[in-house]
Amino acid sequence: MNERPLNRLKVVLVENQKTSKWLAEQLGVSAVTVSKWCTNMHQPDLQTLAKIAELIGCEKRELITE
């Protein structure tokens, strides 16, 4: 069975010319944490998702698969 991605964080970062390292620095978390979010091994909580959207300059819903 194919797993559907839970978020589009990696895609949105690329679309906005941002790196996961940049995001980790902005949030004060490790690059490993952001990598796990980008690969859907773990998910950020809703408050962190809102902060990510604010930092990137996008809507929260753009970070989540429909």
Side-chain angles (χ1 to χ4, degrees):
M1 176 166 30
N2 291 333
E3 289 186 30
R4 288 181 24 186
L6 300 175
N7 71 55
R8 298 182 59 245
L9 181 55
K10 186 174 185 176
V11 173
V12 173
L13 283 171
V14 170
E15 289 173 349
N16 288 276
Q17 301 177 345
K18 305 290 185 193
T19 65
S20 57
K21 180 180 177 184
W22 171 85
L23 183 60
E25 290 170 355
Q26 298 300 306
L27 294 172
V29 299
S30 74
V32 172
T33 297
V34 175
S35 176
K36 288 180 181 182
W37 295 339
C38 288
T39 59
N40 288 301
M41 291 179 69
H42 294 282
Q43 297 300 314
D45 60 37
L46 292 176
Q47 288 179 325
T48 303
L49 197 66
K51 182 67 175 173
I52 292 168
E54 180 183 322
L55 288 167
I56 295 174
C58 69
E59 295 290 326
K60 290 177 278 193
R61 65 176 170 245
E62 292 179 53
L63 299 171
I64 302 171
T65 300
E66 295 178 358

